[in-house]
Amino acid sequence: MAVPTPSSVDLSAALVLGPTTGADWLVILPVAWCFTIGAVLVMLRRSVGLHPIIAVAGLAGLVLIDALLLGHVAAKGPVTMVMGRWLPPFGIAFTVDLTGALFALVAAIVALAGGIFSLADINDSGRRYGFYPFLMLLMAGVSGAFLTGDIFNLYVWFEVLLISSFGLLVLGSEPEQIDGTVKYGFLNLVATTLFLVATGYLYAVFGTLNMADIARKAEGLRGSAPLMTLTALYVLAFGMKAAAFPVNFWLPASYHTPRVVVSALFAGLLTKVGIYALIRVMVMLFPVEREELSFVMALAGALTMIVGVLGALAQTDFRRILGYLVVSGIGSMLAGIAVGGPGGIGGAIFYALHSMLVMTGLYFAAGIAARLGGDSSIATVSGLYRKNVGFAALTLMLCFAVSGLPPFSGFWPKVMLVKAALDIGAWWLAAALLLAGFCTVIVTGRLFLLAYWRDEPGAAAETVRLPPAVLAPLTALSLLTLGIGLYPEPLLATIQSAAAGLAEPSAYLNSVFPVGGLR
Amino acid sequence: MEAWFALLVGIFFTVAVYLMLSKFIIRVLLGVAVLGNAVNLLIFTGGRLTRDVPPVIAGGADALGGPAANALPQALILTAIVISFSFFAFLLVLAWRAYEDLSTDNTDEMRVAEPMKEPMPPLGY
């Protein structure tokens, strides 16, 4: 039986007593904002005409919030906000460091581009089925995953974005979409369940779910606890989420089935959430285990790159080619995580941010190509160059970027990764990176040659005008990749300090457990 | 006690994996449901099994007196149950819809999204 204790407990040690500053609210604002807009959109389900306006304005607001958050984090270092006045490790913490803020900002930019593109892509029935509420809830899940500092909450945010992605994927209910969603749904659910298994073991070993607390305690438990098993489970779960080689088959089976804007957003956001989680867990929480697993991960990365790009070469459908290119890009990021060090981790982060912009842009291009050519197979589509020269030029820019050719954004992360791989003597990994880049050039060259340059037999060449709602986001993303490629210094400096903050998380830990606070 | 629970969790995982390896969606779905319960049991066991009292603070006291059961795994499992149940419901409807629209629940015959024979692109330019 519990006996009443005579000594009184000092609750102030476990409670937040100081007032929360306005800047701290920025930490949870991206999530709260997306949920609010999503809820408003659900309430306005009878007036779907308002949905696009509210959603695009909301996404623009999200970009602004994330930009402010990134500025705040860059100036002040990692920021923590806890829920319900309980201090960590008891309270649920949202902790934002540079890595999380960077990913969240680029995700918001991609979502805004998708929101604008959707004005011309999502028809009335799509709106009635709730495209915009799902989009806002997806962004809530994605932002939450990037900003949370609690590993169980990471699982919850994964589920939030997963259920929204199911909704977006079946939107339209074509047989093709249902087929794709079945494969996507079951395999992703298994992946998140594996993530939950790993988190259950983690809780059993550590007795805590706060990431900073785990990072602090990992050193002491390394000798006694099966941390390698835990880490391997996380690698499998997040690798499945990110579509790494042996567990990647759900992605090319499903990403080409939904509306174009949906596949564009998925290609930009969802696999990168897996990569982000992998970086967070492997680099910050279990750096020693990452070293031990590095060969396995490098092998998986190299195979993912090569298998992805070979799959892309074998396809004829524009969007399915892109699906395999997404997989191939994931391989480069895995290689970066496996190599480690500032070059490897920085390269992986840079590649992920670049891939978010470029893959989204390429899916937009695939949608416009299908609109201009009447089909999505490069066996039948032809003469796109004649139909709209500006669009062809933008696609070519994105093709260069995805192949890692200068002067576009894909070049710098590739250089970083190859150099980092050569620095540790993994010449085969560097060779795989270069080979994958070379094959990507062939893939995009084949695509451009057949769909854009090949003359349409017996058709008069006439220019087709494209609505600004589809051209503007494509232009913006292409120019962004060009801008990053031409002037990478500011982004590179931010990424380097983000990678340094992951490798040496003392600032992160200090933000969660401030000096003079609890313990 | 823990050993028996570990064995039970192992059996659950075995059954789940066996069912998920099936070609038929409805069996895969049952496998997913069993898998969710296996994980819930795993978290429950991971939070230490005790025969202690519930963590309720006695009247007039400020803190727990003696050892008490850990309440956190139950909160985690509750979250996981809600999530896995909603997913199970969604996937059940999806499987039904797939069966109606594709008129099969055999995954070998579900080749709508990835057709077997696609036209070749032109080989020369």
Side-chain angles (χ1 to χ4, degrees), chain A residues 367-405:
Chain A
I368 300 173
R371 185 188 276 250
L372 287 180
D375 193 17
S376 65
S377 168
I378 57 169
T380 51
V381 172
S382 58
L384 293 177
Y385 184 78
R386 294 266 182 102
K387 283 185 179 140
N388 196 315
V389 178
F391 163 63
L394 291 174
T395 315
L396 191 62
M397 281 164 78
L398 289 170
C399 287
F400 268 62
V402 76
S403 318
L405 298 175

Side-chain angles (χ1 to χ4, degrees), chain A residues 120-431:
Chain A
D121 188 51
I122 298 295
N123 54 12
D124 244 14
S125 87
R127 286 177 197 169
R128 263 203 304 283
Y129 282 126
F131 171 78
Y132 289 102
F134 277 134
L135 176 61
M136 291 315 292
L137 294 179
L138 179 80
M139 283 316 291
V142 169
S143 309
F146 289 148
L147 304 181
T148 185
D150 180 294
I151 204 146
F152 192 79
N153 271 40
L154 185 63
Y155 161 74
V156 175
W157 293 122
F158 263 72
E159 301 285 9
V160 170
L161 73 87
L162 196 58
I163 197 86
S164 325
S165 69
F166 286 174
L168 287 172
L169 207 56
V170 285
L171 201 82
S173 316
E174 309 276 331
E176 206 186 37
Q177 291 179 322
I178 290 172
D179 188 5
T181 313
V182 165
K183 287 154 191 170
Y184 176 91
F186 278 98
L187 287 173
N188 272 283
L189 189 60
V190 171
T192 30
T193 310
L194 274 175
F195 177 19
L196 186 60
V197 171
T199 307
Y201 279 130
L202 187 94
Y203 177 71
V205 170
F206 284 85
T208 179
L209 294 160
N210 187 297
M211 291 195 213
D213 208 22
I214 295 165
R216 236 171 31 144
K217 287 181 176 163
E219 203 50 55
L221 285 163
R222 197 147 276 138
S224 54
L227 296 192
M228 270 304 283
T229 314
L230 258 180
T231 320
L233 263 174
Y234 274 121
V235 171
L236 179 60
F238 293 143
M240 207 162 167
K241 281 271 152 204
F245 163 57
V247 281
N248 66 338
F249 294 101
W250 57 269
L251 191 149
S254 60
Y255 267 28
H256 63 288
T257 55
R259 312 283 172 101
V260 173
V261 59
V262 174
S263 22
L265 287 172
F266 282 17
L269 301 176
L270 298 192
T271 47
K272 276 63 176 191
V273 180
I275 286 292
Y276 167 82
L278 203 54
I279 291 177
R280 177 69 70 200
V281 167
M282 297 297 280
V283 180
M284 198 179 93
L285 303 188
F286 302 117
V288 178
E289 284 71 21
R290 187 198 61 77
E291 288 282 322
E292 301 218 353
L293 276 174
S294 70
F295 178 71
V296 179
M297 286 183 66
L299 202 61
L303 285 171
T304 311
M305 278 181 250
I306 302 299
V307 167
V309 83
L310 290 181
L313 269 175
Q315 298 300 321
T316 53
D317 185 281
F318 198 158
R319 280 208 268 170
R320 291 186 67 188
I321 293 176
L322 296 183
Y324 278 98
L325 286 185
V326 172
V327 173
S328 173
I330 292 298
S332 308
M333 297 168 221
L334 278 182
I337 300 172
V339 168
I345 305 301
I349 296 175
F350 199 160
Y351 202 103
L353 299 178
H354 138 81
S355 174
M356 283 161 112
L357 298 172
V358 171
M359 290 322 300
T360 310
L362 274 172
Y363 269 98
F364 288 165
I368 300 173
R371 185 188 276 250
L372 287 180
D375 193 17
S376 65
S377 168
I378 57 169
T380 51
V381 172
S382 58
L384 293 177
Y385 184 78
R386 294 266 182 102
K387 283 185 179 140
N388 196 315
V389 178
F391 163 63
L394 291 174
T395 315
L396 191 62
M397 281 164 78
L398 289 170
C399 287
F400 268 62
V402 76
S403 318
L405 298 175
F408 297 97
S409 61
F411 178 65
W412 301 108
K414 208 129 211 172
V415 169
M416 285 168 83
L417 291 175
V418 169
K419 182 167 180 308
L422 286 178
D423 280 349
I424 63 158
W427 57 268
W428 54 277
L429 194 58

Side-chain angles (χ1 to χ4, degrees), chain B residues 25-111:
Chain B
I25 287 196
I26 198 72
R27 288 185 181 214
V28 180
L29 196 62
L30 291 175
V32 167
V34 175
L35 185 68
N37 284 308
V39 180
N40 293 340
L41 269 178
L42 188 148
I43 299 176
F44 187 59
T45 318
R48 311 290 185 273
L49 302 168
T50 49
R51 282 178 175 278
D52 284 325
V53 290
V56 178
I57 297 170
D62 282 337
L64 276 175
N70 187 356
L72 190 65
Q74 308 192 15
L76 299 183
I77 294 170
L78 190 60
T79 316
I81 286 176
V82 172
I83 292 175
S84 68
F85 189 72
S86 66
F87 275 69
F88 180 76
F90 178 85
L91 290 177
L92 189 64
V93 176
L94 182 71
W96 169 247
R97 187 68 198 269
Y99 175 68
E100 269 195 327
D101 278 17
L102 314 174
S103 53
T104 177
D105 76 332
N106 186 338
T107 43
D108 274 354
E109 291 162 20
M110 287 191 171
R111 304 289 306 200

